[in-house]
Amino acid sequence: MELKATSIGKKLAQHPYHRVRMLAAGVEVSGDHHEYIIPFNQLIGVRCKRGVVWGELEFQLADEKVVRLHGTEWSETQRFWQYLMKSWQSWTQQMVVISDQVLTDLQQFILDVVQKDRWLTQEALKGLQTHIQEALSALPLPSERLKEFPDGYQRWLFCDAWLTAPESQRQLRNRQWMTQLEKTYAEFFATVESSPLNASQRQAVMNDEKSVLVLAGAGSGKTSVLVAKTAWLMMRKQAQADQIVILAFGRKAAEELNQRITLRTGSTQVTAKTFHGLALAIIQQVTNKTPKITELENNTAERHQLLLEQWVEQCSQKKAAANQWRQCLEDDLGWTLTETAYWQQPDIQKKIPLLLDKWLGLVRMHGGTQAQMIEYAKEDERPLFAKRIKLMTPIVKAWKAALKAEGAVDFASLLEQACGLIEKGRFISPWKYLLIDEFQDISPQRARLIALLRQQNKHSHLYAVGDDWQAIYRFAGAQLDLTTKFSQYFGEAALCQLDTTYRFDQRQSDIASQFIQQNPAQISKIITSTRQGNKKSVTLLQETQLEALFDKLSGFVTQQETILVLGRYHYLRPKIIDKAATRWPNLTIDFMTIHASKGREADYVILCGLNAGKEGFPAEAQETIIERGLLIEQEAYPYAEERRLAYVAMTRAKQRLWLLYDPKNPSPFVSELKHYGVPIAKKA
């Protein structure tokens, strides 16, 4: 059947289409120069309209597109339209049955996926979306027409929501799933640690994204989460004990984790390792040999003596090297070298091993050749960097010679060797879950090891716990943006925040949080305390009042309570502490550098030295050309790491915090803290 415009209608309408004919399952609209086939599965609606003289058919397509036929005789237009509608509706009824079945099957498939007793990952969501898209593309009816059929339309809306708002759907589903789990495993969450886990801790434990970053504020119970996560994985049978590895940055931290895990899970099969311990285990498995770790790694005095002897030999035997070292130490570090044989100066011999140790550590961590290191440096600093790094050549050779004589390797070599074995496919990773403590301290070399293990085992999960606010080891090679830009390095990730601190009160939390978040590069978060606190929780005090403060503390501090005195450097330890044992025998007073205090806490904390200047805080010492060449680029925000260091110091106190300063030479941090409302006490 077909319909044509009349000759007059065709002439007057001046329209590209003037003829339509029925097809088996569609219509063909054509003109002298145009032809348009409209299958029923693309047709949204057909309107039949009567003009002043002629009829008009309007074919509605997707995306609001319309094809019109003008100039047809009205009675013939009506007859054609009625025939078309009967045919189209008959076809539609057949297609509704098929569409209902497709949508019913798809809805059930989605329900089967989302109702599984597991975390719905971003990876699983992508797979689900692909399936939905393929199924919906197979519908014989345009989606716009489904509104005509309420049952099918509701099913379509349910399915389409996973395409139009997938992440909100996923998050809603995971929240509902966690709510149910919290009820089912209420006893586990209440007893897995000595204190019941709070809401944010429980959610961090249940989150099973392929990559998870748990931001654990100071005193928020990060170790409890690591222990509970381990117990959860085994209890839920998500991983066998030998499929879980926990990594810590120091031997002591690993031992503490092992004790807690054994106590809480009753299993000794899951063990925490250092990164070097992990590398050693990989090498042992592949080579059936156990590399000997040089004793120099753990014997600081012997290591420093080796470095000092080599440096003295270099300076004393080569005049050019002595001149270059003098220039380096005077220009780059501002040292005063008074003697001709400056390498014999006692103060220099005391300081140089520390410097050489740091520089050697960076060279070892970089792992490349000297030429590669020079190429790595900034172009404008490359010539000077090349001069300075070449001064380290004899030091590096002496280190390698000492290792060879001992028949041993250092930590950096362990990591490099382990990475090489994984890259060559000689090690098959058995670990389904990689749990990492203090993640903010991770270096590129350690991150590479983790990345290689995950590439080798596509089913592995990365569960990183740390706090970007407490990242204070850049000088040792830690790379902060591995945490702050976690997803860029480790794939799409879930972010969990432990938002309750059990260490300090809300007053301390508010001040410390406001202070650290002045740097916009730090991840924004809110830390809530279980205690309110008051204005005396944090106090600015003149440094001359330290003795008076100890006197005051001796009047009310119990023998069970602790006092921690913190300083930016070891040599800033207040001399008055030397007589504390006899002057205030009932006080337990310890001194630590701020770096060493990380992870520690005390009832009362006294931070000394909030002053300006060379030995002040924030430290004004600039990085040397060698450090700038071997470390990642320094942050643009002024004193970024010094601010984090101050935050670490401010968050050690359980009860009260005193910040000591010289009113004649205050640190720039002092005026800032005043602005936050920290009270100033002239007397203790």
Side-chain angles (χ1 to χ4, degrees):
M1 185 176 184
E2 68 176 20
L3 175 68
K4 293 181 180 181
T6 66
S7 57
I8 298 176
K10 174 183 174 182
K11 187 174 182 180
L12 293 178
Q14 290 294 302
H15 198 271
Y17 302 116
H18 52 76
R19 175 176 177 267
V20 59
R21 69 185 181 94
M22 289 290 303
L23 302 176
V27 294
E28 178 191 75
V29 184
S30 60
D32 293 336
H33 305 291
H34 301 279
E35 181 181 284
Y36 200 124
I37 293 178
I38 305 173
F40 283 163
N41 61 13
Q42 293 180 11
L43 190 59
I44 306 301
V46 185
R47 296 178 63 186
C48 179
K49 296 190 293 185
R50 181 174 186 176
V52 177
V53 178
W54 295 286
E56 177 183 315
L57 286 179
E58 184 178 88
F59 301 96
Q60 298 166 339
L61 309 179
D63 300 324
E64 299 182 355
K65 187 174 181 179
V66 176
V67 176
R68 292 184 178 90
L69 179 71
H70 297 275
T72 55
E73 200 276 326
W74 171 240
S75 60
E76 291 183 5
T77 304
Q78 281 184 302
R79 189 163 51 252
F80 184 89
W81 177 75
Q82 289 169 354
Y83 184 85
L84 168 62
M85 293 302 292
K86 184 178 180 180
S87 178
W88 185 42
Q89 288 168 359
S90 175
W91 176 87
T92 297
Q93 291 304 314
Q94 298 175 42
M95 297 307 113
V96 166
V97 174
I98 297 172
S99 295
D100 278 349
Q101 189 61 54
V102 170
L103 290 169
T104 299
D105 292 346
L106 180 57
Q107 184 179 38
Q108 189 58 53
F109 178 85
I110 295 171
L111 289 172
D112 289 344
V113 171
V114 302
Q115 289 177 353
K116 287 180 179 177
D117 186 19
R118 67 179 65 164
W119 179 268
L120 182 59
T121 65
Q122 293 173 347
E123 184 178 67
L125 176 63
K126 288 180 179 178
L128 178 61
Q129 285 185 288
T130 299
H131 184 91
I132 294 171
Q133 287 170 337
E134 290 176 352
L136 293 183
S137 69
L139 284 175
L141 285 173
S143 58
E144 293 90 339
R145 291 201 62 201
L146 293 174
K147 291 181 182 180
E148 302 169 28
F149 315 102
D151 291 344
Y153 184 59
Q154 289 304 313
R155 283 189 281 271
W156 180 85
L157 285 175
F158 173 84
C159 300
D160 187 63
W162 288 92
L163 297 180
T164 55
E167 187 56 26
S168 61
Q169 286 289 107
R170 189 181 76 92
Q171 291 181 11
L172 174 61
R173 181 269 174 197
N174 282 336
R175 284 196 299 271
Q176 293 171 339
W177 177 75
M178 287 192 291
T179 299
Q180 183 58 47
L181 285 189
E182 286 182 298
K183 296 175 183 176
T184 305
Y185 295 99
E187 184 178 356
F188 170 86
F189 291 122
T191 60
V192 67
E193 274 286 79
S194 55
S195 297
L197 300 189
N198 63 37
S200 62
Q201 290 172 329
R202 295 194 299 269
Q203 289 169 11
V205 168
M206 290 184 285
N207 195 307
D208 200 39
E209 194 58 58
K210 291 293 291 293
S211 297
V212 178
L213 175 62
V214 180
L215 291 175
S220 63
K222 69 176 179 63
T223 305
S224 291
V225 167
L226 278 169
V227 172
K229 180 69 174 181
T230 305
W232 176 261
L233 292 173
M234 291 193 292
M235 179 195 67
R236 294 261 303 164
K237 301 189 185 309
Q238 290 177 225
Q240 303 289 335
D242 59 2
Q243 293 177 310
I244 303 170
V245 64
I246 304 170
L247 296 173
F249 281 84
R251 187 179 301 173
K252 184 177 179 182
E255 290 172 352
E256 290 176 357
L257 277 167
N258 280 330
Q259 291 172 3
R260 290 271 288 273
I261 290 168
T262 301
L263 177 65
R264 298 301 175 188
T265 67
S267 172
T268 58
Q269 290 181 288
V270 179
T271 56
K273 305 175 186 289
T274 63
F275 278 86
H276 302 123
L278 175 69
L280 184 63
I282 291 171
I283 295 168
Q284 286 175 326
Q285 181 173 322
V286 174
T287 65
N288 290 320
K289 296 178 182 178
T290 303
K292 179 185 177 183
I293 310 300
T294 175
E295 294 181 6
L296 293 170
E297 286 285 19
N298 296 314
N299 191 329
T300 303
E302 188 176 341
R303 186 171 69 250
H304 283 185
Q305 185 61 33
L306 169 70
L307 298 176
L308 176 61
E309 289 175 357
Q310 174 55 44
W311 181 75
V312 169
E313 179 182 332
Q314 184 183 358
C315 292
S316 60
Q317 293 185 2
K318 296 183 179 180
K319 186 176 180 180
N323 290 335
Q324 289 170 4
W325 271 111
R326 176 186 287 276
Q327 187 178 37
C328 172
L329 299 176
E330 289 181 339
D331 294 353
D332 296 3
L333 291 143
W335 289 9
T336 302
L337 307 178
T338 57
E339 300 176 15
T340 303
Y342 62 87
W343 51 87
Q344 295 178 351
Q345 284 180 230
D347 60 327
I348 298 300
Q349 290 204 353
K350 186 176 179 181
K351 292 191 292 184
I352 198 71
L354 293 168
L355 180 69
L356 295 175
D357 199 7
K358 177 164 61 170
W359 288 357
L360 177 63
L362 294 177
V363 169
R364 290 156 55 203
M365 183 186 71
H366 187 279
T369 64
Q370 194 174 90
Q372 289 172 328
M373 293 178 201
I374 293 170
E375 182 64 27
Y376 183 77
K378 284 186 176 180
E379 188 174 354
D380 60 334
E381 293 187 338
R382 203 170 289 159
L384 182 56
F385 175 79
K387 289 182 181 179
R388 298 290 190 258
I389 201 67
K390 286 175 182 177
L391 286 175
M392 287 295 295
T393 301
I395 307 295
V396 175
K397 285 183 178 179
W399 175 260
K400 291 180 177 178
L403 296 184
K404 187 175 182 180
E406 191 184 345
V409 297
D410 59 15
F411 286 155
S413 298
L414 272 182
L415 291 173
E416 193 64 32
Q417 188 176 345
C419 287
L421 292 173
I422 299 169
E423 282 184 313
K424 293 174 183 176
R426 298 182 62 190
F427 177 77
I428 306 301
S429 173
W431 299 302
K432 189 176 177 181
Y433 284 88
L434 303 166
L435 279 59
I436 304 179
D437 189 20
E438 301 287 8
F439 191 80
Q440 75 281 344
D441 296 332
I442 197 165
S443 65
Q445 192 178 35
R446 291 179 174 89
R448 178 178 170 230
L449 177 62
I450 295 302
L452 287 171
L453 287 172
R454 297 193 76 198
Q455 288 172 17
Q456 202 277 328
N457 185 341
K458 299 298 183 183
H459 299 291
S460 67
H461 292 241
L462 173 60
Y463 192 83
V465 181
D467 183 11
D468 65 296
W469 291 5
Q470 299 184 75
I472 57 174
Y473 290 112
R474 180 178 180 276
F475 67 89
Q479 184 172 327
L480 177 59
D481 70 352
L482 288 167
T483 299
T484 56
K485 298 177 181 178
F486 186 78
S487 293
Q488 292 183 23
Y489 290 99
F490 301 101
E492 288 182 308
L495 179 66
C496 302
Q497 293 191 7
L498 304 187
D499 55 13
T500 302
T501 181
Y502 298 94
R503 180 181 300 157
F504 41 85
D505 61 43
Q506 192 62 50
R507 170 70 174 167
Q508 292 167 292
S509 179
D510 290 344
I511 291 169
S513 296
Q514 191 172 3
F515 176 81
I516 191 64
Q517 290 184 103
Q518 293 305 304
N519 181 352
Q522 304 291 167
I523 300 173
S524 177
K525 46 187 178 281
I526 297 174
I527 305 296
T528 304
S529 175
T530 56
R531 297 175 285 122
Q532 190 57 38
N534 55 53
K535 279 198 170 185
K536 291 185 178 181
S537 297
V538 185
T539 305
L540 282 162
L541 181 66
Q542 295 184 15
E543 59 186 9
T544 56
Q545 293 295 304
L546 180 58
E547 185 172 355
L549 179 56
F550 283 145
D551 280 335
K552 182 178 180 179
L553 290 170
S554 68
F556 65 86
V557 175
T558 67
Q559 289 185 323
Q560 289 72 40
E561 293 177 320
T562 54
I563 300 169
L564 181 60
V565 181
L566 298 176
R568 180 65 179 80
Y569 305 102
H570 282 288
Y571 59 80
L572 295 180
R573 178 180 184 272
K575 292 182 179 179
I576 196 172
I577 295 178
D578 294 338
K579 60 181 181 182
T582 54
R583 177 74 180 273
W584 305 286
N586 291 327
L587 294 182
T588 303
I589 302 173
D590 287 323
F591 174 83
M592 301 180 81
T593 64
I594 305 172
H595 281 99
S597 75
K598 188 169 175 295
R600 298 284 295 273
E601 62 182 22
D603 294 284
Y604 304 96
V605 171
I606 303 166
L607 172 59
C608 299
L610 267 179
N611 302 322
K614 188 176 180 181
E615 295 183 345
F617 188 25
E620 292 186 351
Q622 297 296 311
E623 288 181 340
T624 64
I625 188 73
I626 286 182
E627 289 156 15
R628 290 200 300 273
L630 295 177
L631 292 171
I632 60 164
E633 190 171 353
Q634 204 166 23
E635 297 163 82
Y637 193 81
Y639 300 121
E641 183 138 338
E642 292 291 293
R643 182 175 291 269
R644 291 192 291 271
L645 192 60
Y647 174 81
V648 168
M650 294 164 65
T651 54
R652 300 306 97 193
K654 294 193 285 185
Q655 297 192 44
R656 287 197 64 181
L657 168 68
W658 287 270
L659 306 167
L660 273 55
Y661 70 103
D662 179 358
K664 296 180 181 179
N665 186 37
S667 161
F669 289 162
V670 171
S671 60
E672 192 175 326
L673 291 164
K674 288 179 183 177
H675 179 69
Y676 302 150
V678 178
I680 304 167
K682 293 184 179 179
K683 294 183 179 180

